[in-house]
Amino acid sequence: MSVAIYPGSFDPITNGHLSIIKGGLVVVDRLIVAVLSNPKKQSLFSVQERIDMIREAVGSEPRIEVDSFDGLLVDYCRRKNVKVVLRGLRAVADFEYELQMANMNRHLFEGMETVFLMANDAYFYVSSNIVKEAASLGGDVSALVPPNINLRLSEKLGR
Ligand code: PNS
């Protein structure tokens, strides 16, 4: 059975992420969506909130596991015995950072591969950061995130 890990901050998950998850399930049998737990990085939602929100957004798809990790991604991959990482690519701006990360991960864990999927073009310019910024200023982001996330953003930001 083919398995890939889809790591990220997911603060919060967006429709762009969901399009990558959907695409990932075409490519592999099972997907582990892994939320980075990094106390040094300030986040709007706690790790547990982010996990719960992803679970709500993906529903009862048995091929998806939602988990969290800290430290190096390669160490988590080793623990899970998975050598394939899934990442989404949007505009060209993503490319250099993703290339650096994929090469570093392969340097740290020989044989590890990163598979890139193109985000759905409707969400090409959607990122968690831009969604949070727009939402915090009262912008309508309901077309860019699943309904449960829109609700959680409203609650969190007191809209
Ligand atoms: O959604 P993001 O914030 O772009 O995801 C970045 C993530 C979580 C994939 C990346 O920061 C990561 O893997 N962090 C864990 C630490 C690590 O292994 N870094 C890679 C060495 S370059």
Side-chain angles (χ1 to χ4, degrees):
M1 193 180 2
S2 57
V3 188
I5 289 175
Y6 179 34
S9 303
F10 303 109
D11 185 41
I13 191 165
T14 67
N15 285 344
H17 293 126
L18 285 173
S19 82
I20 300 297
I21 291 175
K22 201 170 152 203
L25 289 179
V26 175
V27 181
V28 294
D29 299 317
R30 220 163 63 76
L31 206 55
I32 303 171
V33 182
V35 178
L36 175 67
S37 167
N38 182 357
K40 286 197 203 127
K41 203 169 158 185
Q42 205 176 345
S43 58
L44 180 63
F45 295 98
S46 71
V47 172
Q48 192 54 53
E49 284 175 322
R50 284 180 266 160
I51 289 176
D52 292 345
M53 288 189 287
I54 296 170
R55 288 204 176 115
E56 281 167 23
V58 298
S60 57
E61 169 56 74
R63 293 162 64 203
I64 298 176
E65 176 187 335
V66 188
D67 194 11
S68 65
F69 74 103
D70 54 16
L72 283 175
L73 174 62
V74 290
D75 290 338
Y76 177 70
C77 290
R78 279 198 191 93
R79 285 201 297 280
K80 286 285 188 180
N81 203 21
V82 173
K83 279 199 153 184
V84 180
V85 163
L86 176 70
R87 291 286 288 171
L89 275 184
R90 292 165 303 186
V92 228
D94 283 347
F95 183 78
E96 224 164 292
Y97 169 61
E98 292 297 336
L99 183 71
Q100 274 184 342
M101 219 160 46
N103 279 322
M104 177 54 88
N105 284 334
R106 197 153 43 187
H107 169 76
L108 296 171
F109 187 8
E110 210 190 313
M112 181 162 155
E113 291 298 337
T114 305
V115 172
F116 293 100
L117 293 182
M118 305 298 276
N120 183 314
D121 59 0
Y123 308 122
F124 228 65
Y125 293 99
V126 178
S127 71
S128 300
N129 283 340
I130 210 87
V131 161
K132 277 184 288 192
E133 184 173 345
S136 69
L137 297 170
D140 179 3
V141 295
S142 57
L144 309 177
V145 293
N148 70 309
I149 305 298
N150 196 33
L151 195 68
R152 298 269 203 144
L153 275 167
S154 300
E155 287 164 5
K156 188 66 102 176
L157 298 168
R159 274 192 286 154

